[in-house]
Amino acid sequence: MMSRIWSNRTARPYLLLALTVAVFASMGGGTVLSLSTAHSVLQHFATLGPVALGLGLTILARNFDLSVAGVVGLAGCVAVLLGGSSPVLGVLAAVAVGAAFGLVQGTIITRLNLSSIGVTLGGLLTATGIAYVVTGNQEVRLDQPGIPALLDGPILGPMSVRFLVAVALFAVSAIIVGRTRAGRDLLAAGSDPKAALVAGVPVATVVITAFMLAGMCSALGGALLSYSLAAASPLPLSNTLVPAAAAAIIGGVSLRGGRGNPIGIAGGVLVLSALQSGLTALGVEPFVQDIVTGAVLLLVGILDGGDLRRRINDFNRRWVRRPATHAAAVPPARS
């Protein structure tokens, strides 16, 4: 039963989430399992979720978008600069900037047949540089005092508007990936680009679209985060890149592409959010949080190894079953 759940890439992160909650319940009890901690978990989800979703979509297409950290910061700056008179205009402008970044990067990668790592690293630096230019190398503030409370204030228990927006992003993406032709083309292009091309899948268009969606998701997350803080900085949010990649991997997305879905990514984000909020509630130092997160990621990587089952079977055959067979072959001593 447990092995079947673990082999299911969508169910796996939720099994880890249940184990995480159980461990925290045994350690902290009411200190960890409280409404304030639940609100903190969902707020972390709202911040990390859109970035992990965007990055995960490019991984599904057998690519990797390093620029998401820079786009988050740039989009936040654009949203704050243009959102003083109209917050909606600021969000739309930020999403448009993210889409433009994805379009340019995806086009360069597909047309010139380049590695996404090098291109998006350049995109990360470019987005950061543009953010410094548009802000004049200083922090910018949002002149809308009611926006942070509107976005982050608890509604429906521990939920917030920003969390519900992130959930809506995952729900729409899950429907597209799981139930539309575009989603099937995405998985096919990530699984085997050459075979997908032979089958009539427009691989280049799929990759470009994945990068555009990654830019849009990251930009929306960055814009809403800056609104919740009522400020934005040109510094790139580099601390979102590694957790976003870890969430996608824990959520069952294969780095080889073509395997995984947004529901699993959401579970991976929840696991990391629960770990961070739970350890913070217990008063654990930040470096210990990094060690625990790294250990969970390492465990998932080991158990997800392609030849792990074969190695376990070999071990059982050599060291477990052989002594039992030998013992059964020896006749019992006569009294």
Side-chain angles (χ1 to χ4, degrees):
M1 177 66 177
M2 193 68 69
S3 62
R4 282 202 302 270
I5 296 177
W6 184 263
S7 62
N8 187 322
R9 289 178 173 270
T10 303
R12 179 192 306 167
Y14 295 96
L15 173 61
L16 286 174
L17 179 62
L19 293 175
T20 301
V21 173
V23 170
F24 281 138
S26 65
M27 295 174 60
T31 304
V32 180
L33 302 182
S34 63
L35 191 63
S36 60
T37 303
H39 180 69
S40 175
V41 170
L42 299 188
Q43 289 300 97
H44 282 301
F45 181 92
T47 300
L48 181 60
V51 185
L53 175 61
L55 181 59
L57 291 175
T58 62
I59 299 175
L60 287 175
R62 197 177 279 197
N63 285 273
F64 201 94
D65 190 358
L66 292 172
S67 70
V68 290
V71 171
V72 168
L74 174 60
C77 294
V78 171
V80 170
L81 288 172
L82 299 180
S85 57
S86 174
V88 175
L89 175 62
V91 171
L92 292 177
V95 172
V97 168
F101 253 86
L103 175 62
V104 171
Q105 292 182 132
T107 302
I108 292 174
I109 291 168
T110 55
R111 295 292 182 262
L112 301 181
N113 194 25
L114 298 176
S115 167
S116 61
I117 299 295
V119 173
T120 57
L121 178 59
L124 168 62
L125 299 175
T126 301
T128 303
I130 295 176
Y132 276 106
V133 171
V134 298
T135 60
N137 194 18
Q138 59 185 352
E139 183 181 80
V140 291
R141 294 194 169 275
L142 178 68
D143 189 19
Q144 291 281 350
I147 294 295
L150 175 64
L151 290 177
D152 288 344
I155 59 173
L156 300 176
M159 302 181 189
S160 67
V161 171
R162 199 156 60 91
F163 167 75
L164 293 177
V165 170
V167 170
L169 272 182
F170 277 101
V172 172
S173 300
I175 293 173
I176 293 174
V177 173
R179 297 184 177 272
T180 67
R181 171 67 182 273
R184 292 191 293 271
D185 287 348
L186 173 65
L187 298 179
S191 298
D192 191 336
K194 293 182 179 179
L197 194 60
V198 172
V201 175
V203 174
T205 302
V206 169
V207 172
I208 293 173
T209 303
F211 274 95
M212 289 182 64
L213 291 175
M216 294 169 68
C217 290
S218 302
L220 179 60
L224 295 182
L225 175 62
S226 294
Y227 278 1
S228 72
L229 299 173
S233 170
L235 293 174
L237 297 180
S238 55
N239 60 335
T240 63
L241 180 58
V242 173
I249 295 171
I250 293 174
V253 176
S254 172
L255 292 175
R256 297 187 181 98
R259 300 176 68 185
N261 60 68
I263 300 300
I265 298 173
V269 176
L270 283 173
V271 170
L272 292 187
S273 300
L275 281 174
Q276 183 171 353
S277 298
L279 291 174
T280 300
L282 291 174
V284 176
E285 296 292 336
F287 71 89
V288 178
Q289 299 179 19
D290 292 338
I291 293 174
V292 173
T293 303
V296 172
L297 185 59
L298 179 61
L299 174 65
V300 171
I302 292 173
L303 296 179
D304 198 32
D307 60 344
L308 178 63
R309 187 180 297 275
R310 177 184 58 80
R311 284 184 277 126
I312 292 176
N313 290 336
D314 289 345
F315 177 84
N316 288 334
R317 196 163 46 245
R318 292 180 181 180
W319 303 105
V320 178
R321 297 176 183 173
R322 181 181 296 177
T325 303
H326 178 71
V330 177
R334 294 182 179 179
S335 57

